[in-house]
Amino acid sequence: MRALTFAGGAEAVIPAGGSVVSDAAQLTVPDSADLLVTTYSPTASGPVTYHPDARQISYTARGEHTAQTSGAAFVGQSPHWRYVTGVDVFTPRADGAVVVLGDSLTDGVASTVGANRRWTDDLAMRMLNSGLRMGVLNAGLSGNRILLDESTGFDPGGLNRLGRDALGATGARTLVVQLGINDILRAPRQTEPAFVIDGLRAIVHRAHAQGVRVVGATLAPVQGHAGYSAAVEAVRQKINQKIRTGVIFDDVVDFDKVLRDPRRPARLLGAYDSGDHLNPNNAGYQAMADAVALGTLKSDGKANA
């Protein structure tokens, strides 16, 4: 256990809508390890930053137990991550990071809780085993769209959160974009493929301005989902067709091809369907990770103009 400090002090006040970064803590962090971070609020916190579908159980306790190495006091459970939005790991062994900007498929919805079976976890293991020394940063947000923010204000669209969640991430060298299906699936539906494509182009343009390479993903099939219609499918196909031409991104990973049922290509393969006809199961997430050509992620400083 290490006590975190903030500018040398033991306490920190987080301004509304703001953030703070702790001082560095020296730790031995094994590859692909789980990291325990314990926070304590002396008074009722009110609304705080939280990740609603973390696919990981957090344990809660009453009172101040942050320094305890025993978990005996932590008898409560929560499916959310609170307060902590990211951890920077500084190591000479890594050549920057791959950041994945995505929706529920990247968030890992329907993957096994506590098992680290999001497709980004599986990708990180592939990279580790191959000797590709880059971190993988998951910037998935369930329900996320490219063009629209949620009316609640708690879910900014991909274009609005691009700088904060992806391009502003420490060590970002390559960006993988897995977004677009919610723009055409959720009301108000985007019925013009050109607007979604222009949104993807805008992401790429901003990434290239910072020297970040961009890999784009095709939109996976959704037939059977409540929001599906023939019109939605037609828009999805047109967007995918444009992505596959290679004129938008530096490289492409074809999630549609790897996840679809060959006999019913508008639908997820049954072996990969979690049951909601939108989000894959563990096997589907593994297939997504396996579909990424690792060479497309390498940080070589080259990006298409």
mmCIF file of all heavy atoms in Angstrom, residues 166 192 198:
data_model
loop_
_atom_site.group_PDB
_atom_site.id
_atom_site.type_symbol
_atom_site.label_atom_id
_atom_site.label_comp_id
_atom_site.label_asym_id
_atom_site.label_seq_id
_atom_site.Cartn_x
_atom_site.Cartn_y
_atom_site.Cartn_z
ATOM 1 N N ALA A 166 -9.148 10.894 -25.095
ATOM 2 C CA ALA A 166 -8.296 10.138 -26.020
ATOM 3 C C ALA A 166 -7.004 10.866 -26.363
ATOM 4 O O ALA A 166 -5.913 10.458 -25.955
ATOM 5 C CB ALA A 166 -9.073 9.804 -27.291
ATOM 6 N N GLU A 192 -28.521 10.132 -42.430
ATOM 7 C CA GLU A 192 -27.629 10.478 -43.529
ATOM 8 C C GLU A 192 -26.229 9.938 -43.242
ATOM 9 O O GLU A 192 -25.547 10.428 -42.339
ATOM 10 C CB GLU A 192 -27.567 12.002 -43.709
ATOM 11 C CG GLU A 192 -28.847 12.613 -44.239
ATOM 12 C CD GLU A 192 -29.137 12.176 -45.661
ATOM 13 O OE1 GLU A 192 -28.182 11.820 -46.381
ATOM 14 O OE2 GLU A 192 -30.311 12.180 -46.040
ATOM 15 N N ASP A 198 -18.574 12.260 -41.956
ATOM 16 C CA ASP A 198 -17.899 13.536 -41.704
ATOM 17 C C ASP A 198 -17.428 13.626 -40.256
ATOM 18 O O ASP A 198 -16.371 14.205 -39.974
ATOM 19 C CB ASP A 198 -18.832 14.703 -42.013
ATOM 20 C CG ASP A 198 -19.031 14.925 -43.515
ATOM 21 O OD1 ASP A 198 -18.243 14.342 -44.306
ATOM 22 O OD2 ASP A 198 -19.966 15.657 -43.897
#
